[in-house]
Amino acid sequence: MEEAESAIMCVYDPGCDQVVKQRANQYCEGLKASQDYWRPVFQLLVATSKPEVKFWCLQSLIDVVNHKYESLSPQDCTHFRQFLVSWLVELYPRMDAQPPFILNKV
């Protein structure tokens, strides 16, 4: 998780070295190439306190809904919905504390 978080932070850091940023981007795209990458993305979303990482995770989950949801097995669709609903229920009491760009993704 720490490696993914570091890579995501580098992707959004304008001061990050371009070579390192390119490797970080490749790492993040590699994560998204896995069929069930949404599982570790949900874990990272819940575990992180960094808004940039939450933003990336939410964008990745939106990509799953828009492009890969239909190819998920019925069991994975159920798990995906359960993870999403439980995260939203947990987040709701703290919604006001979230940055606007996170709220827009939600």
Side-chain angles (χ1 to χ4, degrees), residues 5-7 9 14 17 19 21 28 35 37 39 42 51 53 55-56 61 70 73 78 82-83 87 90-91 93 95 100:
E5 194 170 65
S6 295
M9 291 301 293
D17 178 71
V19 173
K21 185 177 276 203
C28 291
Q35 179 63 24
Y37 78 92
R39 291 176 189 271
F42 267 122
V53 177
F55 179 84
W56 184 89
L61 295 173
E70 290 179 2
S73 71
T78 300
Q82 287 173 341
F83 282 130
W87 179 76
E90 182 182 318
L91 175 72
M95 278 295 227

Side-chain angles (χ1 to χ4, degrees), residues 7-63:
I8 294 165
M9 291 301 293
C10 179
V11 167
Y12 289 113
D13 181 1
C16 188
D17 178 71
Q18 289 303 312
V19 173
V20 175
K21 185 177 276 203
Q22 184 178 10
R23 274 191 249 139
N25 242 334
Q26 289 173 343
Y27 178 86
C28 291
E29 290 304 314
L31 286 176
K32 291 165 72 173
S34 168
Q35 179 63 24
D36 65 342
Y37 78 92
W38 57 270
R39 291 176 189 271
V41 168
F42 267 122
Q43 292 173 346
L44 185 57
L45 177 63
V46 170
T48 190
S49 62
K50 297 177 178 167
E52 297 89 348
V53 177
K54 287 182 189 262
F55 179 84
W56 184 89
C57 290
L58 288 169
Q59 184 58 52
S60 296
L61 295 173
I62 289 168
D63 289 345

Side-chain angles (χ1 to χ4, degrees), residues 50-100:
K50 297 177 178 167
E52 297 89 348
V53 177
K54 287 182 189 262
F55 179 84
W56 184 89
C57 290
L58 288 169
Q59 184 58 52
S60 296
L61 295 173
I62 289 168
D63 289 345
V64 169
V65 170
N66 289 334
H67 304 291
K68 295 186 177 186
Y69 190 78
E70 290 179 2
S71 66
L72 296 177
S73 71
Q75 184 179 10
D76 282 347
C77 286
T78 300
H79 287 148
F80 186 90
R81 284 192 309 268
Q82 287 173 341
F83 282 130
L84 188 59
V85 169
S86 65
W87 179 76
L88 286 169
V89 166
E90 182 182 318
L91 175 72
Y92 184 75
R94 303 181 319 242
M95 278 295 227
D96 292 340
Q98 300 299 315

